[in-house]
Amino acid sequence: MDSDASSTCSRSSSPELAVDSRFFSNKMFQAYCADRETEPRSDRSPQSAGCGGKVRGRADLSKDDLQDLRLKVNSRERKRMHDLNQAMDGLREVMPYAQGPSVRKLSKISTLLLARNYILMLSSSLEEMKKLVGDVYGAGGSARRVLPPASSAPASQLPLLSLGPALHSLVGGASQHASVPTVAQAPRSPPASGYLGFHAPALPTLIKDPLQHLSGGYRHFPGMPCPCSLCQPLPASTASLHSLSMGK
DNA sequence: TAGGCCATCTGGTCCT
DNA sequence: AGGACCAGATGGCCTA
């Protein structure tokens, strides 16, 4: 079963079941043990003989000891893979694709590809924003005087929030917009297209080409909510990254 | 039914 | 020596 999706998948091979000693009905292990008993010892190299390949000093282990050893190794490997799947889930949680019980989980390969392209896209956005900020303030500009003295927004976001309209005139393709977009999704996690600030492309497209949607902008209406990435509060992780990048 | 995806087992290799 | 990591093999589940 998917350790990382036990709620949606009902595979028969849960870790607990496999760890159980009943596991030794396993055909592979039985075949291995039979093989081991029939195979002449002289034919085995030190590396390839026995369970796990490390046999030196284990040749005299009893069958039970070998089974225990094999169990331990299997258990460790299982745990390792579960940890890997947990990490993969953590990655899925921050990926910009629809999530929910009715939505099929991203495959591992898709998750990795999407993550890579998502990072590329965000990096590109960041670079573009930095360029625009530089343009707006000018080389010798005094940004501090322009910024509002107090705001409920985190300090790292102030420049972007105040610059949103200006940036829109530079970034936003005025041709591509629609009516006032719907409110961005909940800020807890950023998986939504709303967070990305553009209409969500089809997942396969985003996996293949993350940058082609950057040009699609929103027109900024004063006083109206805007879902674009420039006007959205950044999630904590992104905000910290942003502050680091902008701080130089 | 074929193909995709996955969990698990297994043996080899590398690292501490 | 023991553990981590890796890749191949295998079999199960699910979907088109």
Side-chain angles (χ1 to χ4, degrees):
Chain A
M1 67 133 54
D2 277 353
S3 68
D4 52 355
S6 55
S7 58
T8 59
C9 183
S10 58
R11 294 180 186 281
S12 60
S13 50
S14 75
E16 291 72 23
L17 288 176
V19 163
D20 193 282
S21 61
R22 287 167 295 173
F23 162 72
F24 287 109
S25 61
N26 182 303
K27 280 177 276 182
M28 283 192 207
F29 188 83
Q30 289 180 335
Y32 156 77
C33 288
D35 206 39
R36 214 181 124 69
E37 286 173 358
T38 57
E39 185 180 4
R41 295 185 59 147
S42 57
D43 288 343
R44 281 182 240 142
S45 70
Q47 283 292 324
S48 64
C51 291
K54 291 180 180 179
V55 217
R56 196 151 45 96
R58 295 180 194 170
D60 52 345
L61 289 179
S62 70
K63 198 170 168 180
D64 284 348
D65 290 337
L66 286 173
Q67 288 184 353
D68 286 344
L69 185 62
R70 196 63 254 176
L71 261 188
K72 271 176 60 180
V73 172
N74 290 350
S75 179
R76 276 199 306 270
E77 177 65 9
R78 225 177 294 126
K79 180 186 180 303
R80 195 182 69 83
M81 295 309 296
H82 290 171
D83 291 345
L84 186 64
N85 287 332
Q86 269 190 301
M88 195 68 74
D89 268 353
L91 193 54
R92 285 190 187 100
E93 285 177 8
V94 298
M95 284 294 102
Y97 79 105
Q99 298 181 63
S102 60
V103 178
R104 185 169 181 162
K105 196 174 70 170
L106 270 184
S107 70
K108 291 178 179 179
I109 182 68
S110 297
T111 301
L112 293 176
L113 290 173
L114 179 59
R116 175 186 181 273
N117 291 337
Y118 190 33
I119 290 170
L120 289 176
M121 189 184 64
L122 292 179
S123 299
S124 174
S125 298
L126 184 60
E127 283 306 309
E128 184 131 352
M129 273 190 277
K130 285 161 72 174
K131 215 184 305 175
L132 289 169
V133 167
D135 288 346
V136 168
Y137 284 123
S142 52
R144 272 143 123 205
R145 264 182 275 134
V146 179
L147 293 178
S151 167
S152 60
S156 61
Q157 297 175 21
L158 287 177
L160 287 182
L161 290 175
S162 61
L163 284 175
L167 293 176
H168 266 286
S169 64
L170 296 170
V171 178
S175 60
Q176 186 177 8
H177 70 284
S179 56
V180 178
T182 54
V183 179
Q185 298 191 5
R188 185 212 153 276
S189 65
S193 57
Y195 163 73
L196 285 178
F198 49 77
H199 296 294
L203 179 60
T205 306
L206 184 56
I207 289 174
K208 285 176 186 161
D209 185 0
L211 302 180
Q212 74 181 48
H213 303 279
L214 279 178
S215 58
Y218 287 90
R219 177 171 291 177
H220 194 280
F221 298 93
M224 300 298 285
C226 175
C228 89
S229 58
L230 298 180
C231 297
Q232 290 303 304
L234 299 172
S237 57
T238 310
S240 60
L241 178 64
H242 171 264
S243 64
L244 285 176
S245 300
M246 301 292 282
K248 39 179 185 179

